[in-house]
Amino acid sequence: PSYSWPLSPFLTEVLSLDSSLFPTTMLTNDECCKTIDQYPNIDNFQYQPPDTIPILNKICLKRLQYLLSGVFRPLDVLGLEISQDVNNVNIQHYRG
């Protein structure tokens, strides 16, 4: 690595920057196969992950989203209508 500033000996020691990133040699193909074969097979294993949000919370979340859209959508429309009103002096003042 190349650095544009000198590293202090303290940082080099604390962060182990003088040691190799990969301290051991890579496994051979045979060693990889042996390691993988040591783990049990998962044939015919059926895993059903749990719901991330329980059904009741999904219903509450949808209801909350619906209520929020009922508040913010009219404000969006109002803001658009006000911003397009070129005859209002007050609006022209805020538009710059």
Side-chain angles (χ1 to χ4, degrees):
S2 172
Y3 301 102
S4 59
W5 70 92
L7 285 173
S8 69
F10 174 75
L11 279 178
T12 303
E13 182 181 343
V14 170
L15 299 176
S16 302
L17 296 176
D18 55 346
S19 63
S20 175
L21 188 59
F22 303 104
T24 60
T25 59
M26 289 185 60
L27 295 176
T28 64
N29 285 341
D30 291 338
E31 291 172 328
C32 284
C33 289
K34 285 180 186 177
T35 303
I36 291 171
D37 289 340
Q38 287 177 355
Y39 288 92
N41 292 333
I42 56 172
D43 292 339
N44 300 322
F45 181 74
Q46 295 180 357
Y47 174 73
Q48 180 64 36
D51 287 336
T52 54
I53 299 176
I55 300 299
L56 181 60
N57 284 348
K58 285 183 184 179
I59 294 170
C60 292
L61 182 61
K62 284 189 176 197
R63 177 83 176 137
L64 181 61
Q65 288 172 337
Y66 176 76
L67 292 173
L68 287 175
S69 69
V71 171
F72 286 111
R73 181 65 185 148
L75 291 175
D76 288 339
V77 173
L78 178 63
L80 178 65
E81 292 294 324
I82 290 174
S83 68
Q84 292 179 344
D85 188 2
V86 293
N87 297 326
N88 191 331
V89 179
N90 292 326
I91 300 300
Q92 295 301 322
H93 174 74
Y94 288 109
R95 287 176 72 186

